[in-house]
Amino acid sequence: MNETQFGVRHIIGAPIATTRLAEQAIVCIPPRAAKFTLGEWTLSNDQRCRNTEDQQQLADRVLSESERVRDETAERAAIMKATSDRRIEERIGDVEFNKNELQIQRKEICLELEALSVYKTRLQDCLASLESNALTICRKCLMLRDGRIGIDLVVDDVEHALQQEITTILGAQSLLKRALEQLNEQMRRLRSTRYLLDRDLQYKQAAIDLDKGSLSLKPTDLCLSIYEGFANLDPANISAEEYNAYSANNIKLAAREVTSARPIRVFIDTLLNQVIDDLWAAYNKCNHEFNERIKETKGAKAKLEDMHRETTQKIMEMQNNILQLQKALSDKEGNVALAHTRLGRRAQRVGAELVRDPPGQALYYECEMLRHSVEQLQQMLHEATASLRYLLQTQIQLEEDINVKMNTLKIDEVDCMTLRATMDYHAY
C-alpha cells in the first residue's frame, strides 16, 4: 500500500512524520473477517437444522393446540349459547307464568271493581231517593199539618210517628253514607293495586319482549355489536329471591284486596235490606197512625154533625116554643084585661054593696093567678130566648168545629196520604 495514501510521508533521517488529516479524506476499511473452521461450519448447519426442526415441531404443536382450542371454544360457545338460550326460555316461561298469575288477579280486581261500582250506584240511588223523596215528603207532611187550625192543631201520635220516621231516614242516610265512604276507600285500594299490577305487567311484558328478541338473535346477525365501554354490562341489582318475593307480594296483595272487598258487598246487601225494612216499618207505623187519626177525626166530625143536626132541630123547636109563649102571653092579656075590667066595674058599687063577696074574691084571685101566669110565661120566654141564643152560638161553634175537622181531614187524608202514596222503598 502506498504510504502517501494516508497523507503520511516517511523521510529517512527525519525525526518526525508530518500528517495533514484536515486536508485529506479518511477512508475506513473494515477489518478482514475471521475465517471459521469446517467443524464450526458443520456444527452451525446442524444447529440450524435442529432449530428449524424444533420450530416446526413447536409450530405443529401450536397448530394442533390452536385447532383444539378453536374446537373447544366453539363447542363451549355453542354450549354456553344453548345454556343461555335455555335459561332465557326458562326465564321467559317463569315471567309469563307470573304474568298470567297477575293477569288473573287483575281480572279478579276488574270484576270486583265492576261489582263495587254497581253497589256504589245502589247506595247513591238509595241516598238520592231518601233525600229527594222520603225525607222531603215527611217534612212536607209536617209542614202541611202545621196548617191545621183550632183545637186540631195538636201534637198527636201522627206527628210523633212522622218525627220518628224522619229520624229513621236520617239514621239510614248516615249508615249509607258511612258504607259509601268505606266502599269508595275499598275501590281506591283496588285501583291502586290494579295500577301496581298494570305496572308490573308492563315491566314483565317488556322483559319478555326483550328476552324473546335476544333469543331470536344469531351470531351471524348484522345488528350485533361489541361493547367497548367501561360501565358494567349487567346493571341488575335485584336478586332472584327479591324478584320472586316482589311478584308474590303483588299477587298476595291483589288477592287480599279482592278478598277484603267481597265482605263489603255482603255488608252493603245486609245494610240495604235492614235499612229498607226499618224504613218500611216506620212508614207503615206512620200510615197506621194517620189512618187511626183520620178515623178519629171522621168519628168526631160525624158526632159533631149529629149534634149540629140535633141542635138545629132544637133551635126550630125553641123558635116554635117562643112563638107559642108569645101567643100565650097575648092570650093572657085578654084574660087579664077582662079580670081587671070586672074588678073595676065592681069597684063602682056604692054603699053596702061594696062588699067583699065571693065573686070579688074570685076575681081578685083570678087577677093574681093571671099575673103569676104572665110572669111565668115571661120568665119562660126569657129563658127560651136565652136558650135559643145559646143554641145559635152552639150551632155556630159546631159549624166551626166541623169546618176545622174538614180542614184536618183534607190535610191528613187528601194531602198527606196522597203524598205518602208516592213514597217507595226498595233495595235498589
Side-chain angles (χ1 to χ4, degrees):
M1 186 179 291
N2 192 2
E3 294 178 351
T4 62
Q5 185 177 356
F6 298 98
V8 179
R9 292 181 181 177
H10 298 283
I11 298 174
I12 300 174
I16 299 172
T18 60
T19 304
R20 294 181 180 179
L21 296 176
E23 295 178 358
Q24 297 183 10
I26 299 176
V27 178
C28 295
I29 298 176
R32 180 179 295 174
K35 293 183 180 181
F36 297 96
T37 64
L38 183 60
E40 291 176 345
W41 178 80
T42 303
L43 180 63
S44 176
N45 288 332
D46 293 339
Q47 183 69 29
R48 182 68 64 188
C49 290
R50 284 195 300 271
N51 290 338
T52 302
E53 290 175 356
D54 292 338
Q55 292 299 324
Q56 289 178 356
Q57 292 176 0
L58 178 62
D60 290 337
R61 287 196 300 270
V62 170
L63 289 173
S64 62
E65 184 67 19
S66 297
E67 184 179 1
R68 185 189 66 79
V69 170
R70 285 198 308 271
D71 294 340
E72 182 180 355
T73 54
E75 183 180 1
R76 187 184 304 118
I79 293 173
M80 294 301 296
K81 182 179 181 300
T83 303
S84 298
D85 291 344
R86 187 177 68 255
R87 294 291 176 84
I88 292 175
E89 291 176 355
E90 291 176 356
R91 181 60 181 171
I92 291 174
D94 294 339
V95 175
E96 287 183 344
F97 175 78
N98 291 330
K99 178 186 172 184
N100 292 332
E101 292 294 325
L102 290 174
Q103 287 177 342
I104 292 173
Q105 293 300 326
R106 187 184 185 280
K107 183 178 180 181
E108 292 291 332
I109 288 177
C110 292
L111 293 176
E112 194 64 30
L113 280 173
E114 291 179 359
L116 291 180
S117 298
V118 174
Y119 277 79
K120 181 179 180 180
T121 303
R122 291 176 60 190
L123 288 176
Q124 290 175 343
D125 291 343
C126 187
L127 283 171
S129 176
L130 290 179
E131 182 67 29
S132 62
N133 188 349
L135 189 60
T136 302
I137 288 175
C138 290
R139 287 175 174 172
K140 191 170 183 180
C141 287
L142 285 176
M143 182 184 66
L144 288 173
R145 297 193 89 245
D146 288 338
R148 294 172 297 168
I149 56 178
I151 194 62
D152 279 10
L153 189 59
V154 61
V155 180
D156 52 5
D157 294 336
V158 175
E159 188 162 352
H160 290 306
L162 283 172
Q163 293 288 354
Q164 184 63 35
E165 188 172 8
I166 290 175
T167 303
T168 303
I169 293 173
L170 294 177
Q173 284 181 330
S174 178
L175 291 175
L176 293 176
K177 287 179 181 178
R178 192 177 303 116
L180 184 60
E181 291 175 358
Q182 295 177 359
L183 181 62
N184 288 331
E185 176 62 20
Q186 185 61 42
M187 292 182 69
R188 184 195 67 79
R189 293 171 61 182
L190 286 173
R191 291 192 186 98
S192 177
T193 305
R194 185 177 64 179
Y195 170 77
L196 294 177
L197 294 183
D198 288 340
R199 187 177 63 179
D200 197 6
L201 286 171
Q202 181 181 0
Y203 292 163
K204 283 179 169 50
Q205 185 61 45
I208 290 172
D209 293 339
L210 289 174
D211 286 341
K212 286 184 177 180
S214 299
L215 189 62
S216 64
L217 292 176
K218 297 179 181 178
T220 58
D221 290 342
L222 298 178
C223 61
L224 304 181
S225 63
I226 297 177
Y227 178 70
E228 296 180 355
F230 297 98
N232 189 4
L233 275 175
D234 187 12
N237 55 2
I238 299 176
S239 63
E241 292 77 10
E242 292 175 346
Y243 169 79
N244 293 329
Y246 176 74
S247 299
N249 288 333
N250 284 338
I251 295 173
K252 289 180 181 179
L253 177 62
R256 184 170 65 250
E257 293 299 333
V258 171
T259 304
S260 62
R262 288 169 182 169
I264 293 180
R265 290 190 284 130
V266 178
F267 169 73
I268 292 175
D269 282 331
T270 305
L271 178 63
L272 283 174
N273 292 330
Q274 184 63 40
V275 165
I276 296 303
D277 291 340
D278 293 341
L279 291 173
W280 275 119
Y283 173 82
N284 293 328
K285 180 181 178 182
C286 191
N287 281 356
H288 175 73
E289 296 296 338
F290 261 110
N291 292 328
E292 291 296 324
R293 187 60 180 170
I294 290 171
K295 187 185 297 183
E296 292 176 358
T297 304
K298 285 183 177 180
K301 176 176 174 290
K303 186 175 181 180
L304 289 173
E305 288 175 346
D306 292 340
M307 294 179 66
H308 181 269
R309 185 168 53 254
E310 293 175 358
T311 302
T312 303
Q313 184 65 31
K314 291 297 181 182
I315 289 173
M316 296 176 61
E317 292 177 359
M318 189 59 65
Q319 289 175 348
N320 292 329
N321 183 34
I322 291 173
L323 291 176
Q324 290 177 1
L325 288 173
Q326 290 175 351
K327 182 179 179 181
L329 283 174
S330 298
D331 293 342
K332 293 299 182 290
E333 289 178 358
N335 294 330
V336 170
L338 177 60
H340 285 178
T341 301
R342 286 178 176 178
L343 284 175
R345 287 179 179 275
R346 286 180 62 82
Q348 295 177 3
R349 290 176 300 169
V350 294
E353 293 296 327
L354 189 59
V355 62
R356 291 182 179 178
D357 52 0
Q361 292 179 354
L363 287 173
Y364 180 78
Y365 181 74
E366 183 181 1
C367 288
E368 289 297 326
M369 292 301 296
L370 288 173
R371 182 181 63 80
H372 181 68
S373 297
V374 170
E375 290 178 355
Q376 286 183 338
L377 289 173
Q378 289 177 347
Q379 180 67 28
M380 291 305 301
L381 180 60
H382 178 73
E383 292 179 359
T385 303
S387 177
L388 178 61
R389 184 170 62 254
Y390 294 147
L391 287 172
L392 291 174
Q393 291 178 355
T394 303
Q395 184 184 31
I396 293 173
Q397 291 176 353
L398 289 173
E399 290 175 354
E400 291 177 354
D401 290 341
I402 291 172
N403 291 330
V404 168
K405 297 297 183 291
M406 291 178 64
N407 178 68
T408 302
L409 286 174
K410 177 183 178 298
I411 291 174
D412 288 346
E413 188 175 17
V414 178
D415 297 337
C416 291
M417 293 304 290
T418 302
L419 282 175
R420 292 184 63 81
T422 60
M423 294 175 65
D424 183 23
Y425 299 121
H426 57 275
Y428 297 92

